[in-house]
CSV table of all heavy atoms in Angstrom, one decimal:
chain,number,residue,atom,x,y,z
D,231,GLY,N,-8.0,-3.7,15.8
D,231,GLY,CA,-7.0,-4.1,14.8
D,231,GLY,C,-7.0,-3.2,13.6
D,231,GLY,O,-6.1,-3.4,12.7
D,232,THR,N,-7.9,-2.3,13.5
D,232,THR,CA,-8.0,-1.4,12.3
D,232,THR,C,-7.3,-0.1,12.5
D,232,THR,O,-7.2,0.7,11.6
D,232,THR,CB,-9.4,-1.2,11.9
D,232,THR,OG1,-10.1,-0.4,12.9
D,232,THR,CG2,-10.2,-2.4,11.7
D,233,GLU,N,-6.8,0.1,13.7
D,233,GLU,CA,-6.2,1.4,14.1
D,233,GLU,C,-4.6,1.3,13.9
D,233,GLU,O,-4.0,0.6,14.7
D,233,GLU,CB,-6.5,1.7,15.5
D,233,GLU,CG,-8.0,1.9,15.7
D,233,GLU,CD,-8.4,2.0,17.2
D,233,GLU,OE1,-7.5,2.0,18.1
D,233,GLU,OE2,-9.6,2.1,17.5
D,234,HIS,N,-4.2,2.0,12.9
D,234,HIS,CA,-2.7,1.9,12.5
D,234,HIS,C,-2.2,3.3,12.4
D,234,HIS,O,-2.9,4.3,12.1
D,234,HIS,CB,-2.5,1.2,11.2
D,234,HIS,CG,-3.1,-0.2,11.1
D,234,HIS,ND1,-2.7,-1.2,11.9
D,234,HIS,CD2,-4.1,-0.7,10.4
D,234,HIS,CE1,-3.4,-2.3,11.7
D,234,HIS,NE2,-4.3,-2.0,10.8
D,235,ASP,N,-0.9,3.4,12.7
D,235,ASP,CA,-0.2,4.7,12.5
D,235,ASP,C,-0.3,5.1,11.0
D,235,ASP,O,0.0,4.3,10.1
D,235,ASP,CB,1.3,4.5,12.9
D,235,ASP,CG,2.1,5.8,12.6
D,235,ASP,OD1,2.6,6.0,11.5
D,235,ASP,OD2,2.3,6.5,13.6
D,236,ASP,N,-0.7,6.3,10.7
D,236,ASP,CA,-1.0,6.7,9.3
D,236,ASP,C,0.3,6.6,8.5
D,236,ASP,O,0.2,6.2,7.3
D,236,ASP,CB,-1.6,8.1,9.3
D,236,ASP,CG,-2.0,8.5,7.9
D,236,ASP,OD1,-2.9,7.8,7.3
D,236,ASP,OD2,-1.4,9.5,7.3
D,237,GLN,N,1.4,7.0,9.0
D,237,GLN,CA,2.6,7.0,8.2
D,237,GLN,C,3.0,5.6,7.9
D,237,GLN,O,3.4,5.3,6.7
D,237,GLN,CB,3.8,7.7,9.0
D,237,GLN,CG,5.1,7.7,8.2
D,237,GLN,CD,6.2,8.4,9.0
D,237,GLN,OE1,6.0,9.1,9.9
D,237,GLN,NE2,7.5,8.1,8.6
D,238,LEU,N,2.9,4.7,8.8
D,238,LEU,CA,3.2,3.3,8.5
D,238,LEU,C,2.3,2.7,7.5
D,238,LEU,O,2.7,2.0,6.6
D,238,LEU,CB,3.1,2.4,9.8
D,238,LEU,CG,4.1,2.6,10.9
D,238,LEU,CD1,3.9,1.6,12.0
D,238,LEU,CD2,5.5,2.4,10.3
D,239,TYR,N,1.0,3.1,7.5
D,239,TYR,CA,0.1,2.6,6.5
D,239,TYR,C,0.4,3.1,5.2
D,239,TYR,O,0.3,2.4,4.2
D,239,TYR,CB,-1.4,3.0,6.9
D,239,TYR,CG,-2.4,2.3,6.0
D,239,TYR,CD1,-2.7,1.0,6.3
D,239,TYR,CD2,-3.0,3.0,5.0
D,239,TYR,CE1,-3.7,0.4,5.4
D,239,TYR,CE2,-3.9,2.4,4.2
D,239,TYR,CZ,-4.3,1.1,4.4
D,239,TYR,OH,-5.2,0.4,3.6
D,240,GLN,N,0.8,4.4,5.0
D,240,GLN,CA,1.2,4.9,3.7
D,240,GLN,C,2.4,4.3,3.2
D,240,GLN,O,2.5,4.0,2.0
D,240,GLN,CB,1.4,6.4,3.8
D,240,GLN,CG,0.1,7.2,4.1
D,240,GLN,CD,-1.0,6.9,3.1
D,240,GLN,OE1,-0.8,6.9,1.9
D,240,GLN,NE2,-2.2,6.7,3.6
D,241,GLU,N,3.3,3.9,4.1
D,241,GLU,CA,4.5,3.2,3.7
D,241,GLU,C,4.2,1.8,3.2
D,241,GLU,O,4.8,1.3,2.3
D,241,GLU,CB,5.6,3.1,4.8
D,241,GLU,CG,6.2,4.5,5.1
D,241,GLU,CD,7.1,4.4,6.3
D,241,GLU,OE1,7.1,3.5,7.1
D,241,GLU,OE2,7.9,5.4,6.5
D,242,LEU,N,3.2,1.2,3.8
D,242,LEU,CA,2.7,-0.1,3.3
D,242,LEU,C,2.1,0.0,1.9
D,242,LEU,O,2.4,-0.8,1.1
D,242,LEU,CB,1.7,-0.7,4.3
D,242,LEU,CG,1.1,-2.0,4.0
D,242,LEU,CD1,2.2,-3.1,3.8
D,242,LEU,CD2,0.0,-2.4,5.0
D,243,VAL,N,1.3,1.0,1.7
D,243,VAL,CA,0.6,1.2,0.4
D,243,VAL,C,1.7,1.4,-0.6
D,243,VAL,O,1.5,0.9,-1.8
D,243,VAL,CB,-0.3,2.4,0.5
D,243,VAL,CG1,-0.8,2.8,-0.9
D,243,VAL,CG2,-1.5,2.2,1.4
Side-chain angles (χ1 to χ4, degrees):
T232 65
E233 299 171 359
H234 305 295
D235 179 277
D236 186 61
Q237 180 178 342
L238 290 183
Y239 188 77
Q240 292 307 315
E241 289 176 344
L242 177 61
V243 171

